[in-house]
Amino acid sequence: MAPEEENGDGEKSNPIESVMGASINFADLIDGGSVTLFRCADGTGQDECLEMVKDEDVTLVGFKERFREMLIGTTASMGIVQKLANQIELSDEERAFLASTPFGGMLYKLAPYGETASTLLVEDSIERLAFDMAYITVRDMVRAALTAVQQSDHSYANQLNEILIASSERIDSEVQTRAASLSPASDIMKRYQVLLEVLPNKDVIVAGGL
């Protein structure tokens, strides 16, 4: 066990061992990839988890792949686009997803014209959808963690708060870098409007001549 030292309250305690983030990057949430998980070597009780060790490497499925499977489907399952085009009832999860984004209304509007137009819109929009969901997820998690720490009277709360702030700043930098590579969100609406204009001529849609 590490030698005792004084904490911020003048009490004796074991020095905190911090494991900085960056095991999962913002891009991993969007694109997926291999990430390393850590676990507490000595338990998870109130006075435990003083030592972190590598647990395993896992493959993370990114939001982009998840959304593509949900919207377009796979060889084994039907996606939202195909269900809407064929008037097949959606699951509660699928309805909730469409209700959570203005993008859902676009798919409902395009559904009577078949799958092709909706699929084109999905493929053009999937990167932006994944980015927005990853950003909301990270933002909410960081806010929740910071709020919990700032309300804590634990002797190591200040150190943990500093670590969280540093991680938040790193994530913000990654978000800005990724955002710079994306088309504006308004482009989704523009693409949708173009589809609506050419939909009466279905031969154009089938030929992909947009």
Side-chain angles (χ1 to χ4, degrees):
M1 181 175 290
E4 291 186 335
E5 62 181 23
E6 287 192 0
N7 59 28
D9 298 325
E11 301 173 346
K12 294 290 185 179
S13 63
N14 292 319
I16 187 172
E17 176 186 354
S18 64
V19 178
M20 289 300 292
S23 176
I24 299 178
N25 296 317
F26 183 72
D28 293 328
L29 296 178
I30 298 175
D31 303 317
S34 179
V35 299
T36 300
L37 300 182
F38 291 83
R39 63 177 175 82
C40 300
D42 56 339
T44 57
Q46 182 176 354
D47 297 319
E48 297 176 324
C49 201
L50 300 176
E51 180 184 359
M52 300 293 292
V53 295
K54 180 179 176 180
D55 188 10
E56 59 178 334
D57 292 328
V58 300
T59 299
L60 182 69
V61 178
F63 279 116
K64 193 158 56 176
E65 182 177 346
R66 289 181 182 275
F67 288 165
R68 181 172 282 110
E69 290 179 355
M70 179 179 288
L71 290 164
I72 299 179
T74 66
T75 55
S77 62
M78 188 179 296
I80 290 175
V81 167
Q82 187 176 1
K83 286 184 177 181
L84 289 177
N86 293 279
Q87 299 182 351
I88 297 174
E89 185 176 0
L90 302 180
S91 67
D92 291 341
E93 180 185 5
E94 290 168 336
R95 284 195 295 269
F97 172 73
L98 292 182
S100 69
T101 169
F103 184 74
M106 299 179 193
L107 292 183
Y108 279 117
K109 184 74 172 180
L110 293 174
Y113 298 96
E115 299 174 32
T116 305
S118 296
T119 300
L120 286 171
L121 185 65
V122 168
E123 290 293 355
D124 282 345
S125 310
I126 200 77
E127 180 83 17
R128 169 58 65 174
L129 291 173
F131 171 86
D132 289 345
M133 182 58 70
Y135 174 72
I136 291 171
T137 300
V138 170
R139 181 199 63 191
D140 291 349
M141 291 176 64
V142 170
R143 285 180 178 176
L146 284 171
T147 298
V149 170
Q150 290 167 358
Q151 293 177 350
S152 172
D153 59 357
H154 194 282
S155 57
Y156 288 130
N158 288 336
Q159 291 98 313
L160 181 54
N161 188 62
E162 292 174 359
I163 292 172
L164 288 172
I165 290 175
S167 293
S168 178
E169 291 173 349
R170 174 182 62 82
I171 292 170
D172 286 344
S173 177
E174 294 177 7
V175 168
Q176 292 173 12
T177 299
R178 187 67 176 235
S181 68
L182 297 177
S183 299
S186 58
D187 281 3
I188 297 178
M189 179 58 70
K190 292 177 182 178
R191 181 67 165 177
Y192 168 67
Q193 291 171 341
V194 169
L195 287 170
L196 288 181
E197 290 174 2
V198 301
L199 276 173
N201 183 357
K202 293 186 178 181
D203 291 337
V204 176
I205 295 291
V206 172
L210 295 182

